[in-house]
Amino acid sequence: MTQEQFNQMMTEYERTKNPVPDNTPADWEAPAVQWARDNGLLAGDGSGNLMLHSNMTRAQFLVMLKKYHEKKSEIR
């Protein structure tokens, strides 16, 4: 194992042990993320992590779609 490989391994270990919330949208998606949050469609995982750059599961997709359908008359 090289020092480079060891450093990478330890960085990954620490990152997964103390994950940083995935809450910073890219510039192009920031307005859409804010809109979804303002309208109650995007809530995250309960600990404040929006998981913006994680793959969405089918269940997460359906929950967001259901929330949209239920609130579509209130959405701004």
Side-chain angles (χ1 to χ4, degrees):
M1 175 182 288
T2 65
Q3 287 184 14
E4 181 181 53
Q5 291 168 328
F6 176 78
N7 290 335
Q8 180 64 32
M9 181 181 72
M10 295 309 295
T11 301
E12 288 297 314
Y13 171 74
E14 285 298 320
R15 189 171 60 96
T16 57
K17 187 173 87 174
N18 299 307
V20 175
D22 190 8
N23 292 335
T24 306
D27 290 342
W28 63 269
E29 69 177 339
V33 169
Q34 191 60 52
W35 176 86
R37 291 186 78 186
D38 290 347
N39 288 291
L41 305 178
L42 180 62
D45 67 0
S47 69
N49 187 353
L50 298 176
M51 304 176 296
L52 295 175
H53 305 289
S54 300
N55 289 332
M56 179 184 271
T57 66
R58 287 183 183 105
Q60 290 167 325
F61 173 78
L62 291 173
V63 166
M64 289 181 75
L65 193 60
K66 181 178 184 275
K67 286 180 181 181
Y68 174 77
H69 179 72
E70 291 172 349
K71 297 180 177 210
K72 67 182 175 183
S73 64
E74 305 167 18
I75 289 182
R76 304 172 250 128

